[in-house]
Amino acid sequence: MKLTLSQKLNILKSKKTFISFNIDNDKKLIEYTLNDNFVRYKPKYNNFKLLDIFKEDYILNSKQNYTLKQILKQINIY
């Protein structure tokens, strides 16, 4: 799955339990919500996962990881 850097940063800093999300045909994350009650968001989103598993699969162990310089530039530190 393809995520933007800002999406990755928002997801990583979240303290919620679940992520409900939709992806497009190119496997890009197009919309998501971080929540503690995925049943509430079930009508709007096609997929959900435990946030910890999502982080492991699509951010921390992703082949599309960003360099530290790219991250710092995105959050305006570098």
Side-chain angles (χ1 to χ4, degrees), residues 16-19 48-56:
K16 299 292 184 176
T17 308
F18 296 102
I19 180 169
F48 74 90
K49 270 194 178 196
L50 278 168
L51 191 57
D52 290 341
I53 293 173
F54 187 91
K55 287 177 186 178
E56 279 291 319

Side-chain angles (χ1 to χ4, degrees), residues 20-53:
S20 300
F21 59 97
N22 289 328
I23 55 175
D24 65 8
N25 294 334
D26 295 330
K27 298 213 180 222
K28 287 183 182 176
L29 182 67
I30 51 174
E31 57 183 344
Y32 68 95
T33 187
L34 304 163
N35 58 78
D36 288 322
N37 182 1
F38 70 89
V39 175
R40 177 177 172 205
Y41 297 97
K42 192 173 181 178
K44 184 176 178 182
Y45 298 99
N46 297 327
N47 308 292
F48 74 90
K49 270 194 178 196
L50 278 168
L51 191 57
D52 290 341
I53 293 173

Side-chain angles (χ1 to χ4, degrees), residues 41-77:
Y41 297 97
K42 192 173 181 178
K44 184 176 178 182
Y45 298 99
N46 297 327
N47 308 292
F48 74 90
K49 270 194 178 196
L50 278 168
L51 191 57
D52 290 341
I53 293 173
F54 187 91
K55 287 177 186 178
E56 279 291 319
D57 292 348
Y58 299 115
I59 299 175
L60 301 174
N61 294 325
S62 172
K63 293 179 180 169
Q64 300 171 352
N65 279 336
Y66 291 86
T67 65
L68 179 59
K69 187 173 180 179
Q70 289 171 312
I71 293 170
L72 294 175
K73 185 175 180 183
Q74 179 71 26
I75 57 176
N76 296 320
I77 293 178

